[in-house]
Amino acid sequence: MALSKLPKLPTIRELVQLYNLRARQQLSQNFIMDKNVTDKLVSLAGLEMDNALCVEVGPGPGLLTRSILDHGARNVVGVEKDERFMPTLHQLQEASNGRFRVILGDMLKIDHRQIASAGSKPTIETAPTIGLAEFEYVHLLGNLPFNVATPLLIQWLQLLSTRQGIFSTARSVSMTLMFQKEVASRIIASASESPRGRLSIISQSVCDAFRLYNVPASSFVPRPKVDATVVQLRPLEKPLLRSSLSTLEHLTRFTFMKRRKMLARIFKDWDPATLQLLEECEIDPTLRPQDVSTEKFCVLAGIIEQRGIKLP
């Protein structure tokens, strides 16, 4: 059955003025007013929309939501922390013909069963569904608040690595997310590239991460001090992770705290006996942390966890 298009709605700029929606600095809010920007995000993401659940984090006034719906999404759930946006999002919910549902909640704390329940409710244009098992695809999208972007990403990678929450049953998963340009560069950086850090290794242990496009600061209201970048992460067919993600996270935090030092010095200062771990993993001890491949870090974390070695 063909999807009905959204009816003509007030522009986001009009809604922001009507409801006096000012961006809150403490929530790192910046609005996008140009739908061309959000349309490009969804278009370049290349998302499979049939039999898919789209979860949008922090829809705000709902511009990205409109783009997702206009690209044919049948099941969209938005999780919004700021109750000021509820009137505009409820208006969009009513106009969507059952394709969009909004939850007031904090994505860092929400029970994912609540998202599954909202996403699996029968809609006007789709057959009744039972739960997440009915969705072949799960897509996570969002213009992330800069102050919580990294904790959110790490939480999702944790869930993805153990196939929990909204990632528990889908055959295919994607995360298409907007970050500060500097954070995005760290996520996608390869070994020996200057932005390389713990976020690079944690992300790439589970996913293939790549840049979709840059969004200039001038696209946001109020204008932030830095540009943004849209990154897409898709699970690796064969994940490199050989331990729990928390062990890898602990290891990378420990080593990158001394990123200018060679690994030999870092491990010797910790415990001279641990230098043999580098040899076992065939890691050159003269390298600095940013020069080590994600695969080698995963092997090292696997051995540390398997032997019950306590990191500092």
Side-chain angles (χ1 to χ4, degrees):
M1 184 182 294
L3 292 175
S4 59
K5 292 186 177 180
L6 288 172
K8 184 170 177 59
L9 296 165
T11 67
I12 295 300
R13 194 176 295 277
E14 288 169 344
L15 289 172
V16 166
Q17 291 174 350
L18 177 64
Y19 291 101
N20 194 26
L21 297 172
R22 296 172 184 248
R24 286 183 171 168
Q25 187 176 1
Q26 64 267 35
L27 296 178
S28 297
Q29 290 175 339
N30 300 94
F31 303 149
I32 298 175
M33 298 294 187
D34 184 356
K35 192 166 178 287
N36 291 318
V37 175
T38 54
D39 281 345
K40 183 177 180 181
L41 185 156
V42 180
S43 179
L44 289 179
L47 306 179
E48 309 87 346
M49 292 302 192
D50 288 335
N51 200 16
L53 172 64
C54 296
V55 180
E56 185 187 356
V57 184
L63 187 61
L64 177 57
T65 319
R66 295 186 189 193
S67 294
I68 297 169
L69 292 168
D70 284 344
H71 277 74
R74 294 175 180 270
N75 290 282
V76 184
V77 176
V79 181
E80 177 55 59
K81 180 179 181 179
D82 191 341
E83 63 182 352
R84 295 179 304 147
F85 296 117
M86 287 299 110
T88 65
L89 294 173
H90 283 142
Q91 182 183 88
L92 183 55
Q93 180 173 291
E94 290 172 10
S96 72
N97 214 17
R99 295 190 289 139
F100 171 62
R101 288 164 294 280
V102 62
I103 300 170
L104 179 62
D106 184 341
M107 193 65 189
L108 272 172
K109 301 174 182 176
I110 195 169
D111 185 335
H112 282 211
R113 288 174 295 186
Q114 191 178 350
I115 300 173
S117 174
S120 62
K121 285 178 181 174
T123 69
I124 294 172
E125 298 182 350
T126 57
T129 56
I130 297 171
L132 280 174
E134 295 298 312
F135 293 111
E136 191 173 1
Y137 306 101
V138 170
H139 306 304
L140 189 60
L141 304 99
N143 170 20
L144 301 183
F146 294 160
N147 65 338
V148 293
T150 298
L152 281 170
L153 178 60
I154 291 175
Q155 183 193 81
W156 296 331
L157 291 169
Q158 287 271 14
L159 293 170
L160 184 56
S161 69
T162 52
R163 284 288 177 173
Q164 294 184 57
I166 57 172
F167 308 122
S168 59
T169 59
R171 181 178 70 83
S172 177
V173 169
S174 72
M175 295 188 284
T176 306
L177 307 166
M178 195 179 294
F179 298 92
Q180 280 182 310
K181 190 176 179 180
E182 180 185 342
V183 175
S185 296
R186 292 204 295 269
I187 292 169
I188 64 176
S190 300
S192 298
E193 292 182 348
S194 57
R196 178 84 162 174
R198 70 184 188 94
L199 201 55
S200 320
I201 293 153
I202 294 167
S203 301
Q204 295 165 28
S205 70
V206 180
C207 291
D208 181 20
F210 50 94
R211 178 188 287 108
L212 283 185
Y213 74 106
N214 293 328
V215 183
S218 57
S219 300
F220 298 90
V221 177
R223 178 173 178 155
K225 295 179 181 178
V226 295
D227 293 342
T229 296
V230 179
V231 171
Q232 187 166 84
L233 300 101
R234 288 184 178 261
L236 293 167
E237 208 170 295
K238 295 182 179 178
L240 301 175
L241 191 64
R242 300 191 183 192
S243 64
S244 66
L245 198 71
S246 0
T247 296
L248 180 63
E249 188 187 356
H250 194 164
L251 172 64
T252 53
R253 188 186 296 112
F254 162 62
T255 52
F256 277 93
M257 279 177 63
K258 305 175 181 180
R259 60 181 302 132
R260 295 183 181 277
K261 293 187 177 182
M262 292 188 298
L263 290 169
R265 171 55 60 189
I266 294 171
F267 278 73
K268 188 177 180 182
D269 288 347
W270 169 26
D271 180 349
T274 61
L275 284 169
Q276 68 179 33
L277 296 174
L278 299 176
E279 186 178 345
E280 283 185 56
C281 299
E282 298 181 349
I283 296 175
D284 183 349
T286 66
L287 294 177
R288 291 179 171 83
Q290 66 265 31
D291 299 318
V292 179
S293 71
T294 300
E295 184 177 9
K296 292 291 188 184
F297 257 112
C298 289
V299 171
L300 180 57
I303 290 175
I304 287 171
E305 184 172 277
Q306 184 182 5
R307 295 182 186 173
I309 299 171
K310 290 188 177 181
L311 287 157

